[in-house]
Amino acid sequence: MIIIYILLGLLGLIVALLLIAWIHSIVIKDNQVAPTLPEIDKNLSELYATEFSKMIQIKTLSYDSTKNNVKPFKDMQEVMKNIFPNVYSTMEQTIFEGESLLFKWVGKSSDKPMVLMAHQDVVPASKDNWTFEPFSGEITDT
């Protein structure tokens, strides 16, 4: 008999919780304002696409010290210097073996340091899996 009372109590609790959730969804209004999308500047968009395309065209395949394949990484650095001149003029730059870059952006305080990381190397790509040549940098509307 106790088991029946426990089961009825659990059932009552579930019904009460569902009722509360239902009332909550009816009474409380959604006060969130729908986010507004920023206007897209077509000229800037095309500029960014063109600059990104220049970087994609450089075959920075993973560095191999036995092949000493640093030229593409040096080429990438030249393109990045042209695209991001303020980064190169503002930040301290260290170049490691294989043309790996480290930038240090000195702030006003060292209380809350932050690390931002990225890589320049890519793996080889076969044209079989692509609509365009992998390193063509082709800009399309698709």
Side-chain angles (χ1 to χ4, degrees):
M1 192 68 169
I2 292 178
I3 294 177
I4 293 176
Y5 289 131
I6 292 173
L7 290 175
L8 287 173
L10 287 174
L11 182 62
L13 181 62
I14 290 171
V15 169
L17 289 173
L18 288 173
L19 184 62
I20 290 169
W22 180 69
I23 291 171
H24 184 271
S25 67
I26 291 174
V27 173
I28 297 181
K29 302 292 183 210
D30 183 9
N31 294 331
Q32 293 182 353
V33 177
T36 56
L37 297 175
E39 271 192 46
I40 296 174
D41 183 329
K42 186 155 178 65
N43 292 331
L44 273 179
S45 178
E46 289 174 2
L47 173 67
Y48 295 155
T50 302
E51 290 175 342
F52 188 50
S53 173
K54 290 176 189 174
M55 292 192 295
I56 289 174
Q57 293 174 43
I58 302 170
K59 296 181 183 178
T60 54
L61 300 175
S62 298
Y63 174 69
D64 183 345
S65 60
T66 61
K67 294 179 182 176
N68 194 25
N69 59 333
V70 295
K71 184 178 179 338
F73 294 94
K74 288 183 178 186
D75 294 344
M76 176 67 85
Q77 289 175 27
E78 286 304 312
V79 170
M80 292 190 316
K81 282 179 189 175
N82 291 327
I83 295 174
F84 308 109
N86 291 339
V87 170
Y88 282 83
S89 65
T90 306
M91 299 182 186
E92 297 173 14
Q93 177 186 3
T94 306
I95 301 176
F96 296 94
E97 179 186 1
E99 297 302 306
S100 294
L101 298 171
L102 172 68
F103 290 98
K104 182 178 181 184
W105 192 359
V106 179
K108 295 177 184 175
S109 167
S110 61
D111 290 345
K112 294 182 179 180
M114 179 180 6
V115 174
L116 305 173
M117 298 188 334
H119 64 92
Q120 304 172 56
D121 64 327
V122 296
V123 296
S126 167
K127 185 187 181 325
D128 299 339
N129 302 322
W130 296 80
T131 304
F132 302 99
E133 289 288 332
F135 296 99
S136 70
E138 185 75 27
I139 300 172
T140 69
D141 289 336
T142 56

